[in-house]
PDB file of all heavy atoms in Angstrom:
ATOM      1  N   ILE A   1      11.312  -7.898   6.292  1.00 95.00           N
ATOM      2  CA  ILE A   1      10.740  -8.723   7.318  1.00 95.00           C
ATOM      3  C   ILE A   1       9.199  -8.330   7.456  1.00 95.00           C
ATOM      4  O   ILE A   1       8.612  -8.594   8.451  1.00 95.00           O
ATOM      5  CB  ILE A   1      11.463  -8.666   8.770  1.00 95.00           C
ATOM      6  CG1 ILE A   1      11.503  -7.172   9.228  1.00 95.00           C
ATOM      7  CG2 ILE A   1      12.842  -9.233   8.663  1.00 95.00           C
ATOM      8  CD1 ILE A   1      12.037  -7.096  10.723  1.00 95.00           C
ATOM      9  N   ASN A   2       8.780  -7.705   6.428  1.00 94.00           N
ATOM     10  CA  ASN A   2       7.443  -7.398   6.238  1.00 94.00           C
ATOM     11  C   ASN A   2       6.735  -6.402   7.178  1.00 94.00           C
ATOM     12  O   ASN A   2       5.616  -6.413   7.484  1.00 94.00           O
ATOM     13  CB  ASN A   2       6.599  -8.714   6.238  1.00 94.00           C
ATOM     14  CG  ASN A   2       6.670  -9.428   4.909  1.00 94.00           C
ATOM     15  OD1 ASN A   2       6.856  -8.910   3.925  1.00 94.00           O
ATOM     16  ND2 ASN A   2       6.710 -10.748   5.014  1.00 94.00           N
ATOM     17  N   ASN A   3       7.668  -5.520   7.747  1.00 96.00           N
ATOM     18  CA  ASN A   3       7.059  -4.473   8.487  1.00 96.00           C
ATOM     19  C   ASN A   3       6.630  -3.358   7.473  1.00 96.00           C
ATOM     20  O   ASN A   3       7.281  -3.121   6.518  1.00 96.00           O
ATOM     21  CB  ASN A   3       8.170  -3.819   9.389  1.00 96.00           C
ATOM     22  CG  ASN A   3       8.496  -4.640  10.556  1.00 96.00           C
ATOM     23  OD1 ASN A   3       7.613  -5.433  11.122  1.00 96.00           O
ATOM     24  ND2 ASN A   3       9.674  -4.656  11.042  1.00 96.00           N
ATOM     25  N   THR A   4       5.379  -2.908   7.685  1.00 95.00           N
ATOM     26  CA  THR A   4       4.860  -2.047   6.819  1.00 95.00           C
ATOM     27  C   THR A   4       4.436  -0.603   7.381  1.00 95.00           C
ATOM     28  O   THR A   4       4.228  -0.519   8.616  1.00 95.00           O
ATOM     29  CB  THR A   4       3.459  -2.626   5.993  1.00 95.00           C
ATOM     30  OG1 THR A   4       2.503  -2.848   7.161  1.00 95.00           O
ATOM     31  CG2 THR A   4       3.694  -3.883   5.501  1.00 95.00           C
ATOM     32  N   TRP A   5       4.386   0.336   6.421  1.00 94.00           N
ATOM     33  CA  TRP A   5       4.074   1.648   6.955  1.00 94.00           C
ATOM     34  C   TRP A   5       3.423   2.412   5.708  1.00 94.00           C
ATOM     35  O   TRP A   5       3.833   2.120   4.539  1.00 94.00           O
ATOM     36  CB  TRP A   5       5.173   2.580   7.375  1.00 94.00           C
ATOM     37  CG  TRP A   5       4.850   3.964   7.593  1.00 94.00           C
ATOM     38  CD1 TRP A   5       4.494   4.518   8.693  1.00 94.00           C
ATOM     39  CD2 TRP A   5       4.961   4.999   6.639  1.00 94.00           C
ATOM     40  NE1 TRP A   5       4.356   5.834   8.672  1.00 94.00           N
ATOM     41  CE2 TRP A   5       4.565   6.171   7.338  1.00 94.00           C
ATOM     42  CE3 TRP A   5       5.199   5.174   5.315  1.00 94.00           C
ATOM     43  CZ2 TRP A   5       4.433   7.423   6.761  1.00 94.00           C
ATOM     44  CZ3 TRP A   5       5.162   6.340   4.623  1.00 94.00           C
ATOM     45  CH2 TRP A   5       4.823   7.465   5.365  1.00 94.00           C
ATOM     46  N   THR A   6       2.361   3.170   5.863  1.00 93.00           N
ATOM     47  CA  THR A   6       1.738   3.912   4.838  1.00 93.00           C
ATOM     48  C   THR A   6       1.574   5.241   5.387  1.00 93.00           C
ATOM     49  O   THR A   6       1.365   5.490   6.687  1.00 93.00           O
ATOM     50  CB  THR A   6       0.401   3.408   4.303  1.00 93.00           C
ATOM     51  OG1 THR A   6      -0.569   3.271   5.448  1.00 93.00           O
ATOM     52  CG2 THR A   6       0.661   2.019   3.744  1.00 93.00           C
ATOM     53  N   PHE A   7       1.467   6.352   4.439  1.00 91.00           N
ATOM     54  CA  PHE A   7       1.273   7.653   4.965  1.00 91.00           C
ATOM     55  C   PHE A   7      -0.163   7.934   5.346  1.00 91.00           C
ATOM     56  O   PHE A   7      -0.447   8.863   6.097  1.00 91.00           O
ATOM     57  CB  PHE A   7       1.693   8.589   3.871  1.00 91.00           C
ATOM     58  CG  PHE A   7       0.595   9.025   2.875  1.00 91.00           C
ATOM     59  CD1 PHE A   7       0.014  10.115   2.956  1.00 91.00           C
ATOM     60  CD2 PHE A   7       0.275   7.994   1.883  1.00 91.00           C
ATOM     61  CE1 PHE A   7      -0.993  10.553   2.080  1.00 91.00           C
ATOM     62  CE2 PHE A   7      -0.728   8.251   1.035  1.00 91.00           C
ATOM     63  CZ  PHE A   7      -1.313   9.600   1.067  1.00 91.00           C
ATOM     64  N   ASP A   8      -1.085   7.165   4.812  1.00 88.00           N
ATOM     65  CA  ASP A   8      -2.465   7.643   4.878  1.00 88.00           C
ATOM     66  C   ASP A   8      -3.062   6.960   6.168  1.00 88.00           C
ATOM     67  O   ASP A   8      -3.338   5.893   6.373  1.00 88.00           O
ATOM     68  CB  ASP A   8      -3.184   6.975   3.619  1.00 88.00           C
ATOM     69  CG  ASP A   8      -4.727   7.352   3.707  1.00 88.00           C
ATOM     70  OD1 ASP A   8      -4.992   8.530   3.554  1.00 88.00           O
ATOM     71  OD2 ASP A   8      -5.548   6.460   3.833  1.00 88.00           O
ATOM     72  N   GLU A   9      -3.478   7.984   7.051  1.00 82.00           N
ATOM     73  CA  GLU A   9      -4.071   7.575   8.370  1.00 82.00           C
ATOM     74  C   GLU A   9      -5.418   6.989   8.171  1.00 82.00           C
ATOM     75  O   GLU A   9      -5.944   6.274   9.242  1.00 82.00           O
ATOM     76  CB  GLU A   9      -4.053   8.782   9.180  1.00 82.00           C
ATOM     77  CG  GLU A   9      -2.663   9.255   9.620  1.00 82.00           C
ATOM     78  CD  GLU A   9      -2.688  10.464  10.510  1.00 82.00           C
ATOM     79  OE1 GLU A   9      -3.824  10.983  10.725  1.00 82.00           O
ATOM     80  OE2 GLU A   9      -1.600  10.671  11.020  1.00 82.00           O
ATOM     81  N   GLU A  10      -6.128   7.224   7.069  1.00 90.00           N
ATOM     82  CA  GLU A  10      -7.465   6.501   6.843  1.00 90.00           C
ATOM     83  C   GLU A  10      -7.467   5.155   6.488  1.00 90.00           C
ATOM     84  O   GLU A  10      -8.354   4.409   6.464  1.00 90.00           O
ATOM     85  CB  GLU A  10      -8.155   7.429   5.770  1.00 90.00           C
ATOM     86  CG  GLU A  10      -8.456   8.880   6.206  1.00 90.00           C
ATOM     87  CD  GLU A  10      -9.154   9.668   5.033  1.00 90.00           C
ATOM     88  OE1 GLU A  10     -10.016   9.053   4.336  1.00 90.00           O
ATOM     89  OE2 GLU A  10      -8.597  10.776   4.644  1.00 90.00           O
ATOM     90  N   GLY A  11      -6.235   4.729   6.223  1.00 92.00           N
ATOM     91  CA  GLY A  11      -6.190   3.208   5.793  1.00 92.00           C
ATOM     92  C   GLY A  11      -6.490   2.931   4.443  1.00 92.00           C
ATOM     93  O   GLY A  11      -6.820   1.908   4.186  1.00 92.00           O
ATOM     94  N   ARG A  12      -6.467   3.926   3.583  1.00 96.00           N
ATOM     95  CA  ARG A  12      -6.880   3.673   2.192  1.00 96.00           C
ATOM     96  C   ARG A  12      -5.773   2.991   1.359  1.00 96.00           C
ATOM     97  O   ARG A  12      -6.138   2.333   0.373  1.00 96.00           O
ATOM     98  CB  ARG A  12      -7.171   5.042   1.555  1.00 96.00           C
ATOM     99  CG  ARG A  12      -8.333   5.783   2.177  1.00 96.00           C
ATOM    100  CD  ARG A  12      -8.662   7.113   1.518  1.00 96.00           C
ATOM    101  NE  ARG A  12      -7.540   7.969   1.363  1.00 96.00           N
ATOM    102  CZ  ARG A  12      -6.895   8.366   0.333  1.00 96.00           C
ATOM    103  NH1 ARG A  12      -7.453   7.904  -0.905  1.00 96.00           N
ATOM    104  NH2 ARG A  12      -5.886   9.081   0.239  1.00 96.00           N
ATOM    105  N   PHE A  13      -4.513   3.030   1.820  1.00 96.00           N
ATOM    106  CA  PHE A  13      -3.460   2.496   1.169  1.00 96.00           C
ATOM    107  C   PHE A  13      -2.930   1.337   1.869  1.00 96.00           C
ATOM    108  O   PHE A  13      -2.816   1.249   3.057  1.00 96.00           O
ATOM    109  CB  PHE A  13      -2.297   3.498   0.879  1.00 96.00           C
ATOM    110  CG  PHE A  13      -2.507   4.574  -0.082  1.00 96.00           C
ATOM    111  CD1 PHE A  13      -3.983   5.141  -0.290  1.00 96.00           C
ATOM    112  CD2 PHE A  13      -1.476   5.163  -0.820  1.00 96.00           C
ATOM    113  CE1 PHE A  13      -4.241   6.092  -1.253  1.00 96.00           C
ATOM    114  CE2 PHE A  13      -1.843   6.141  -1.630  1.00 96.00           C
ATOM    115  CZ  PHE A  13      -3.189   6.668  -1.957  1.00 96.00           C
ATOM    116  N   ASP A  14      -2.529   0.271   1.110  1.00 97.00           N
ATOM    117  CA  ASP A  14      -1.976  -0.913   1.616  1.00 97.00           C
ATOM    118  C   ASP A  14      -0.758  -1.406   0.841  1.00 97.00           C
ATOM    119  O   ASP A  14      -0.985  -1.458  -0.506  1.00 97.00           O
ATOM    120  CB  ASP A  14      -3.006  -2.053   1.821  1.00 97.00           C
ATOM    121  CG  ASP A  14      -2.452  -3.310   2.285  1.00 97.00           C
ATOM    122  OD1 ASP A  14      -1.974  -3.355   3.495  1.00 97.00           O
ATOM    123  OD2 ASP A  14      -2.489  -4.362   1.663  1.00 97.00           O
ATOM    124  N   VAL A  15       0.357  -1.730   1.422  1.00 97.00           N
ATOM    125  CA  VAL A  15       1.514  -2.163   0.721  1.00 97.00           C
ATOM    126  C   VAL A  15       1.661  -3.741   0.930  1.00 97.00           C
ATOM    127  O   VAL A  15       1.636  -4.085   2.153  1.00 97.00           O
ATOM    128  CB  VAL A  15       2.756  -1.417   0.923  1.00 97.00           C
ATOM    129  CG1 VAL A  15       3.098  -1.319   2.473  1.00 97.00           C
ATOM    130  CG2 VAL A  15       3.860  -1.802   0.061  1.00 97.00           C
ATOM    131  N   SER A  16       2.018  -4.503   0.076  1.00 98.00           N
ATOM    132  CA  SER A  16       2.335  -5.914   0.362  1.00 98.00           C
ATOM    133  C   SER A  16       3.506  -6.397  -0.799  1.00 98.00           C
ATOM    134  O   SER A  16       3.671  -5.680  -1.656  1.00 98.00           O
ATOM    135  CB  SER A  16       1.020  -6.725   0.100  1.00 98.00           C
ATOM    136  OG  SER A  16       0.475  -6.618  -1.069  1.00 98.00           O
ATOM    137  N   ARG A  17       3.809  -7.595  -0.469  1.00 98.00           N
ATOM    138  CA  ARG A  17       4.920  -8.123  -1.422  1.00 98.00           C
ATOM    139  C   ARG A  17       4.774  -9.616  -1.713  1.00 98.00           C
ATOM    140  O   ARG A  17       4.196 -10.356  -0.780  1.00 98.00           O
ATOM    141  CB  ARG A  17       6.329  -7.787  -0.910  1.00 98.00           C
ATOM    142  CG  ARG A  17       6.560  -8.451   0.352  1.00 98.00           C
ATOM    143  CD  ARG A  17       7.921  -8.012   0.942  1.00 98.00           C
ATOM    144  NE  ARG A  17       9.130  -8.094   0.081  1.00 98.00           N
ATOM    145  CZ  ARG A  17      10.199  -7.351   0.276  1.00 98.00           C
ATOM    146  NH1 ARG A  17      10.327  -6.493   1.232  1.00 98.00           N
ATOM    147  NH2 ARG A  17      11.182  -7.518  -0.557  1.00 98.00           N
ATOM    148  N   ASP A  18       5.209 -10.025  -2.708  1.00 97.00           N
ATOM    149  CA  ASP A  18       5.187 -11.461  -3.049  1.00 97.00           C
ATOM    150  C   ASP A  18       6.600 -11.876  -3.554  1.00 97.00           C
ATOM    151  O   ASP A  18       7.151 -11.515  -4.671  1.00 97.00           O
ATOM    152  CB  ASP A  18       4.282 -11.806  -4.197  1.00 97.00           C
ATOM    153  CG  ASP A  18       4.177 -13.316  -4.540  1.00 97.00           C
ATOM    154  OD1 ASP A  18       5.087 -14.139  -4.058  1.00 97.00           O
ATOM    155  OD2 ASP A  18       3.115 -13.797  -5.066  1.00 97.00           O
ATOM    156  N   ASN A  19       7.406 -12.375  -2.616  1.00 97.00           N
ATOM    157  CA  ASN A  19       8.829 -12.654  -2.928  1.00 97.00           C
ATOM    158  C   ASN A  19       9.035 -13.635  -3.891  1.00 97.00           C
ATOM    159  O   ASN A  19      10.072 -13.782  -4.597  1.00 97.00           O
ATOM    160  CB  ASN A  19       9.547 -13.060  -1.558  1.00 97.00           C
ATOM    161  CG  ASN A  19       9.639 -11.921  -0.697  1.00 97.00           C
ATOM    162  OD1 ASN A  19       9.658 -10.776  -0.949  1.00 97.00           O
ATOM    163  ND2 ASN A  19       9.876 -12.210   0.732  1.00 97.00           N
ATOM    164  N   ASN A  20       8.054 -14.612  -4.178  1.00 97.00           N
ATOM    165  CA  ASN A  20       8.142 -15.508  -5.157  1.00 97.00           C
ATOM    166  C   ASN A  20       7.936 -14.895  -6.522  1.00 97.00           C
ATOM    167  O   ASN A  20       8.444 -15.575  -7.460  1.00 97.00           O
ATOM    168  CB  ASN A  20       7.089 -16.617  -5.025  1.00 97.00           C
ATOM    169  CG  ASN A  20       7.217 -17.485  -3.764  1.00 97.00           C
ATOM    170  OD1 ASN A  20       8.379 -17.750  -3.305  1.00 97.00           O
ATOM    171  ND2 ASN A  20       6.215 -17.820  -3.088  1.00 97.00           N
ATOM    172  N   LYS A  21       7.391 -13.809  -6.724  1.00 97.00           N
ATOM    173  CA  LYS A  21       7.249 -13.017  -7.811  1.00 97.00           C
ATOM    174  C   LYS A  21       8.104 -11.791  -8.075  1.00 97.00           C
ATOM    175  O   LYS A  21       7.934 -11.130  -8.992  1.00 97.00           O
ATOM    176  CB  LYS A  21       5.719 -12.714  -8.102  1.00 97.00           C
ATOM    177  CG  LYS A  21       4.675 -13.936  -8.238  1.00 97.00           C
ATOM    178  CD  LYS A  21       3.450 -13.449  -8.398  1.00 97.00           C
ATOM    179  CE  LYS A  21       2.502 -14.582  -8.508  1.00 97.00           C
ATOM    180  NZ  LYS A  21       1.044 -14.269  -8.839  1.00 97.00           N
ATOM    181  N   ASN A  22       8.930 -11.644  -6.968  1.00 97.00           N
ATOM    182  CA  ASN A  22       9.723 -10.311  -7.027  1.00 97.00           C
ATOM    183  C   ASN A  22       8.867  -9.087  -7.262  1.00 97.00           C
ATOM    184  O   ASN A  22       9.259  -8.187  -7.985  1.00 97.00           O
ATOM    185  CB  ASN A  22      10.793 -10.396  -8.071  1.00 97.00           C
ATOM    186  CG  ASN A  22      11.994 -11.323  -7.781  1.00 97.00           C
ATOM    187  OD1 ASN A  22      11.988 -12.105  -6.712  1.00 97.00           O
ATOM    188  ND2 ASN A  22      13.100 -11.204  -8.559  1.00 97.00           N
ATOM    189  N   THR A  23       7.700  -9.054  -6.600  1.00 98.00           N
ATOM    190  CA  THR A  23       6.873  -8.042  -6.815  1.00 98.00           C
ATOM    191  C   THR A  23       6.332  -7.377  -5.588  1.00 98.00           C
ATOM    192  O   THR A  23       6.060  -8.037  -4.493  1.00 98.00           O
ATOM    193  CB  THR A  23       5.602  -8.595  -7.573  1.00 98.00           C
ATOM    194  OG1 THR A  23       5.980  -9.124  -8.826  1.00 98.00           O
ATOM    195  CG2 THR A  23       4.615  -7.449  -7.973  1.00 98.00           C
ATOM    196  N   VAL A  24       6.234  -6.014  -5.564  1.00 98.00           N
ATOM    197  CA  VAL A  24       5.652  -5.318  -4.410  1.00 98.00           C
ATOM    198  C   VAL A  24       4.399  -4.723  -5.046  1.00 98.00           C
ATOM    199  O   VAL A  24       4.341  -4.270  -6.172  1.00 98.00           O
ATOM    200  CB  VAL A  24       6.592  -4.282  -3.794  1.00 98.00           C
ATOM    201  CG1 VAL A  24       6.990  -3.212  -4.991  1.00 98.00           C
ATOM    202  CG2 VAL A  24       6.044  -3.537  -2.596  1.00 98.00           C
ATOM    203  N   TYR A  25       3.306  -4.604  -4.251  1.00 98.00           N
ATOM    204  CA  TYR A  25       2.131  -4.129  -4.550  1.00 98.00           C
ATOM    205  C   TYR A  25       1.694  -2.780  -3.722  1.00 98.00           C
ATOM    206  O   TYR A  25       2.012  -2.746  -2.524  1.00 98.00           O
ATOM    207  CB  TYR A  25       0.966  -5.122  -4.575  1.00 98.00           C
ATOM    208  CG  TYR A  25       1.107  -6.279  -5.197  1.00 98.00           C
ATOM    209  CD1 TYR A  25       1.713  -7.527  -4.617  1.00 98.00           C
ATOM    210  CD2 TYR A  25       0.910  -6.502  -6.617  1.00 98.00           C
ATOM    211  CE1 TYR A  25       1.901  -8.591  -5.276  1.00 98.00           C
ATOM    212  CE2 TYR A  25       1.148  -7.647  -7.360  1.00 98.00           C
ATOM    213  CZ  TYR A  25       1.660  -8.702  -6.640  1.00 98.00           C
ATOM    214  OH  TYR A  25       1.778  -9.836  -7.380  1.00 98.00           O
ATOM    215  N   LEU A  26       1.002  -1.923  -4.341  1.00 98.00           N
ATOM    216  CA  LEU A  26       0.252  -0.784  -3.583  1.00 98.00           C
ATOM    217  C   LEU A  26      -1.130  -0.907  -4.001  1.00 98.00           C
ATOM    218  O   LEU A  26      -1.535  -0.676  -5.145  1.00 98.00           O
ATOM    219  CB  LEU A  26       0.876   0.571  -3.956  1.00 98.00           C
ATOM    220  CG  LEU A  26       0.290   1.653  -3.247  1.00 98.00           C
ATOM    221  CD1 LEU A  26       0.766   1.608  -1.828  1.00 98.00           C
ATOM    222  CD2 LEU A  26       0.738   3.040  -3.889  1.00 98.00           C
ATOM    223  N   ASN A  27      -1.928  -1.281  -2.982  1.00 98.00           N
ATOM    224  CA  ASN A  27      -3.450  -1.293  -3.176  1.00 98.00           C
ATOM    225  C   ASN A  27      -3.904   0.118  -2.637  1.00 98.00           C
ATOM    226  O   ASN A  27      -3.666   0.475  -1.586  1.00 98.00           O
ATOM    227  CB  ASN A  27      -4.067  -2.404  -2.349  1.00 98.00           C
ATOM    228  CG  ASN A  27      -3.674  -3.805  -2.959  1.00 98.00           C
ATOM    229  OD1 ASN A  27      -4.128  -4.162  -4.027  1.00 98.00           O
ATOM    230  ND2 ASN A  27      -2.882  -4.593  -2.326  1.00 98.00           N
ATOM    231  N   MET A  28      -4.794   0.710  -3.413  1.00 97.00           N
ATOM    232  CA  MET A  28      -5.350   1.872  -3.155  1.00 97.00           C
ATOM    233  C   MET A  28      -6.918   1.830  -3.258  1.00 97.00           C
ATOM    234  O   MET A  28      -7.509   1.371  -4.283  1.00 97.00           O
ATOM    235  CB  MET A  28      -4.825   2.933  -4.184  1.00 97.00           C
ATOM    236  CG  MET A  28      -3.353   3.009  -4.171  1.00 97.00           C
ATOM    237  SD  MET A  28      -2.794   3.925  -5.823  1.00 97.00           S
ATOM    238  CE  MET A  28      -3.478   5.456  -5.646  1.00 97.00           C
ATOM    239  N   VAL A  29      -7.551   2.202  -2.205  1.00 97.00           N
ATOM    240  CA  VAL A  29      -9.092   2.267  -2.268  1.00 97.00           C
ATOM    241  C   VAL A  29      -9.553   3.519  -1.905  1.00 97.00           C
ATOM    242  O   VAL A  29      -8.830   4.308  -1.265  1.00 97.00           O
ATOM    243  CB  VAL A  29      -9.617   1.181  -1.229  1.00 97.00           C
ATOM    244  CG1 VAL A  29      -9.237  -0.260  -1.649  1.00 97.00           C
ATOM    245  CG2 VAL A  29      -9.295   1.483   0.267  1.00 97.00           C
ATOM    246  N   LYS A  30     -10.812   3.877  -2.159  1.00 97.00           N
ATOM    247  CA  LYS A  30     -11.411   5.206  -1.931  1.00 97.00           C
ATOM    248  C   LYS A  30     -10.538   6.295  -2.403  1.00 97.00           C
ATOM    249  O   LYS A  30     -10.299   7.230  -1.598  1.00 97.00           O
ATOM    250  CB  LYS A  30     -11.873   5.255  -0.361  1.00 97.00           C
ATOM    251  CG  LYS A  30     -12.778   4.163   0.135  1.00 97.00           C
ATOM    252  CD  LYS A  30     -12.955   4.346   1.567  1.00 97.00           C
ATOM    253  CE  LYS A  30     -13.912   3.288   2.030  1.00 97.00           C
ATOM    254  NZ  LYS A  30     -14.189   3.332   3.506  1.00 97.00           N
ATOM    255  N   VAL A  31     -10.112   6.099  -3.450  1.00 97.00           N
ATOM    256  CA  VAL A  31      -9.114   7.251  -4.032  1.00 97.00           C
ATOM    257  C   VAL A  31      -9.811   8.581  -4.137  1.00 97.00           C
ATOM    258  O   VAL A  31     -10.953   8.688  -4.341  1.00 97.00           O
ATOM    259  CB  VAL A  31      -8.466   6.809  -5.344  1.00 97.00           C
ATOM    260  CG1 VAL A  31      -7.709   5.509  -5.097  1.00 97.00           C
ATOM    261  CG2 VAL A  31      -9.511   6.563  -6.504  1.00 97.00           C
ATOM    262  N   LYS A  32      -8.902   9.565  -4.163  1.00 97.00           N
ATOM    263  CA  LYS A  32      -9.360  10.970  -4.071  1.00 97.00           C
ATOM    264  C   LYS A  32      -8.551  11.739  -5.342  1.00 97.00           C
ATOM    265  O   LYS A  32      -7.519  11.283  -5.672  1.00 97.00           O
ATOM    266  CB  LYS A  32      -9.125  11.743  -2.707  1.00 97.00           C
ATOM    267  CG  LYS A  32      -9.679  11.046  -1.510  1.00 97.00           C
ATOM    268  CD  LYS A  32      -9.173  11.605  -0.240  1.00 97.00           C
ATOM    269  CE  LYS A  32      -9.810  11.051   0.976  1.00 97.00           C
ATOM    270  NZ  LYS A  32      -9.353  11.576   2.220  1.00 97.00           N
ATOM    271  N   PRO A  33      -9.177  12.788  -5.701  1.00 97.00           N
ATOM    272  CA  PRO A  33      -8.461  13.566  -6.834  1.00 97.00           C
ATOM    273  C   PRO A  33      -7.010  14.047  -6.383  1.00 97.00           C
ATOM    274  O   PRO A  33      -6.169  13.969  -7.148  1.00 97.00           O
ATOM    275  CB  PRO A  33      -9.429  14.857  -6.903  1.00 97.00           C
ATOM    276  CG  PRO A  33     -10.726  14.270  -6.574  1.00 97.00           C
ATOM    277  CD  PRO A  33     -10.581  13.326  -5.428  1.00 97.00           C
ATOM    278  N   GLU A  34      -6.822  14.195  -5.080  1.00 96.00           N
ATOM    279  CA  GLU A  34      -5.538  14.571  -4.523  1.00 96.00           C
ATOM    280  C   GLU A  34      -4.665  13.346  -4.552  1.00 96.00           C
ATOM    281  O   GLU A  34      -3.350  13.640  -4.284  1.00 96.00           O
ATOM    282  CB  GLU A  34      -5.615  15.270  -3.124  1.00 96.00           C
ATOM    283  CG  GLU A  34      -6.331  14.478  -2.117  1.00 96.00           C
ATOM    284  CD  GLU A  34      -7.737  14.814  -1.916  1.00 96.00           C
ATOM    285  OE1 GLU A  34      -8.417  15.089  -2.914  1.00 96.00           O
ATOM    286  OE2 GLU A  34      -8.201  14.927  -0.757  1.00 96.00           O
ATOM    287  N   ASP A  35      -5.040  12.133  -4.825  1.00 97.00           N
ATOM    288  CA  ASP A  35      -4.160  11.155  -5.055  1.00 97.00           C
ATOM    289  C   ASP A  35      -3.440  11.133  -6.513  1.00 97.00           C
ATOM    290  O   ASP A  35      -2.707  10.183  -6.719  1.00 97.00           O
ATOM    291  CB  ASP A  35      -4.769   9.775  -4.808  1.00 97.00           C
ATOM    292  CG  ASP A  35      -5.183   9.511  -3.305  1.00 97.00           C
ATOM    293  OD1 ASP A  35      -4.520   9.998  -2.494  1.00 97.00           O
ATOM    294  OD2 ASP A  35      -6.363   9.024  -3.093  1.00 97.00           O
TER     295      ASP A  35
END
């Protein structure tokens, strides 16, 4: 039902889905070496 959660409190990661494409995405911005 499109409730989302990510571990990163800085908001660098975002998860989304496209049910028409059977696909889930993970968008990552401002990545760090520890990623």
Side-chain angles (χ1 to χ4, degrees):
I1 56 173
N2 286 329
N3 290 327
T4 61
W5 174 89
T6 62
F7 86 104
D8 181 69
E9 295 180 349
E10 298 177 45
R12 300 183 300 118
F13 287 31
D14 177 63
V15 59
S16 61
R17 66 192 299 161
D18 186 338
N19 290 337
N20 292 323
K21 297 182 178 180
N22 280 17
T23 302
V24 62
Y25 303 98
L26 181 68
N27 291 292
M28 306 162 60
V29 300
K30 300 179 182 179
V31 295
K32 304 175 182 179
E34 50 263 44
D35 295 323

